[in-house]
Amino acid sequence: MHIFESIQGLSIALLLYTSSCVASADVITFPNGATLAFSSPVTPEEQEKLGRGWKTAVYSNSDGQRSRLFPLEALKSLNGVLFDDSYPLRISPTGRYVVIDILRVGLLETGAEETARIQSRQYCPVLKTTSGCLVSNETGDLCGGEWDKRDDRWIVHGLKYDTNTPMVQYQFKKANTLWKEYSDDKYRSVRVSIRDLISSNLGIANLMACDPPKADNRDSYKNIQIELQRLGDFEDSAYISRELGDTVPSSMAH
């Protein structure tokens, strides 16, 4: 697969590659009982440019709790998320992790005399199947590796990562760090957006799957929830409230 560098300023999205068995069955079941369900196939017109696949992937744990992968990325005008059925999921020996190859894709608008082009770059996020947490989202040569035959070590032959890679190391911010960064920045002339910080964690559902609410981060989550509500983001605000076990006001419960 060719890897293309993203063009600066391009509005990009994600093209996700999943199991070839998705063509005949849209649900993948892991040894721990968790599942990945794929739905919403692309239209014939979209297939001509992007290939066949699904627009939506939903993780469910063994208790039936569900969360959508990359919820901030919806396929629109050839910019968005496509879960292709051409590539196999790479599941670790214990079944605890799964690597999903993805492409970040964006339709590049060129001059009036040129045809718009699709630019893309490969990534390989790692999903923790026990929680639905996307622990990392690496790119480049790391995506060409494979799981060790006996344990959950991602091996890339010929690189310094032969025996240990950052693939299963959590690479995003946790709730306390995220809120501290936002709080510390609010008195500066250029203020960071709380939504951008959440987006960098691949969405609020991923943040809370990777850093579940507990005594030492509850205040941070509550502050994030209040700030999102203040900004009119009632969906994510309500999601945090539900995960914290709070009563969600009827105006936020949609």
Side-chain angles (χ1 to χ4, degrees):
M1 178 184 298
H2 297 291
I3 300 176
F4 302 93
E5 290 292 339
S6 308
I7 292 183
Q8 186 175 9
L10 176 66
S11 175
I12 60 176
L14 302 166
L15 175 63
L16 304 193
Y17 287 87
T18 64
S19 172
S20 58
C21 67
V22 175
S24 59
D26 62 359
V27 178
I28 310 296
T29 302
F30 300 107
N32 56 33
T35 63
L36 268 179
F38 301 89
S39 61
S40 301
V42 298
T43 66
E45 293 78 12
E46 292 165 338
Q47 287 185 33
E48 292 181 3
K49 294 182 173 63
L50 300 177
R52 64 181 188 175
W54 310 93
K55 297 179 182 179
T56 303
V58 175
Y59 165 84
S60 298
N61 66 14
S62 57
D63 295 327
Q65 294 178 308
R66 304 167 71 248
S67 62
R68 181 172 171 176
L69 298 190
F70 299 96
L72 303 177
E73 311 289 343
L75 186 63
K76 296 177 181 178
S77 302
L78 303 181
N79 293 276
V81 176
L82 174 69
F83 297 77
D84 195 350
D85 59 9
S86 302
Y87 291 77
L89 289 172
R90 290 177 281 178
I91 303 173
S92 69
T94 66
R96 190 180 182 192
Y97 299 99
V98 58
V99 174
I100 308 170
D101 293 310
I102 76 172
L103 286 179
R104 288 182 180 262
V105 232
L107 187 63
L108 174 64
E109 297 291 347
T110 55
E113 299 180 356
E114 299 182 42
T115 303
R117 302 192 307 271
I118 294 177
Q119 297 289 317
S120 59
R121 183 171 183 173
Q122 182 188 22
Y123 290 79
C124 45
V126 177
L127 177 73
K128 190 174 182 180
T129 64
T130 54
S131 65
C133 167
L134 289 165
V135 299
S136 67
N137 191 24
E138 295 290 345
T139 189
D141 291 336
L142 281 176
C143 295
E146 61 183 357
W147 292 110
D148 181 81
K149 302 299 183 184
R150 292 172 293 182
D151 56 37
D152 293 348
R153 289 187 300 119
W154 186 252
I155 298 175
V156 184
H157 297 291
L159 297 182
K160 64 180 180 179
Y161 301 115
D162 272 357
T163 59
N164 184 28
T165 75
M167 292 286 280
V168 297
Q169 299 171 12
Y170 186 63
Q171 67 176 203
F172 304 110
K173 295 181 176 69
K174 293 189 176 182
N176 289 340
T177 302
L178 188 150
W179 178 251
K180 184 177 186 304
E181 181 175 329
Y182 178 74
S183 300
D184 289 348
D185 194 70
K186 68 180 181 179
Y187 297 109
R188 300 176 188 173
S189 57
V190 179
R191 183 173 182 178
V192 66
S193 165
I194 188 70
R195 289 168 172 162
D196 286 345
L197 290 174
I198 292 171
S199 178
S200 70
N201 272 65
L202 307 182
I204 197 65
N206 195 62
L207 172 63
M208 300 192 82
C210 299
D211 186 24
K214 47 188 179 295
D216 67 355
N217 66 12
R218 183 179 177 85
D219 286 347
S220 292
Y221 275 123
K222 190 63 180 176
N223 287 329
I224 294 170
Q225 181 265 318
I226 293 170
E227 181 64 8
L228 289 173
Q229 185 178 3
R230 185 186 70 81
L231 294 171
D233 189 343
F234 299 116
E235 183 177 355
D236 280 353
S237 179
Y239 185 91
I240 296 173
S241 292
R242 286 192 295 270
E243 292 298 301
L244 293 179
D246 295 340
T247 300
V248 180
S250 57
S251 61
M252 296 171 53
H254 301 292

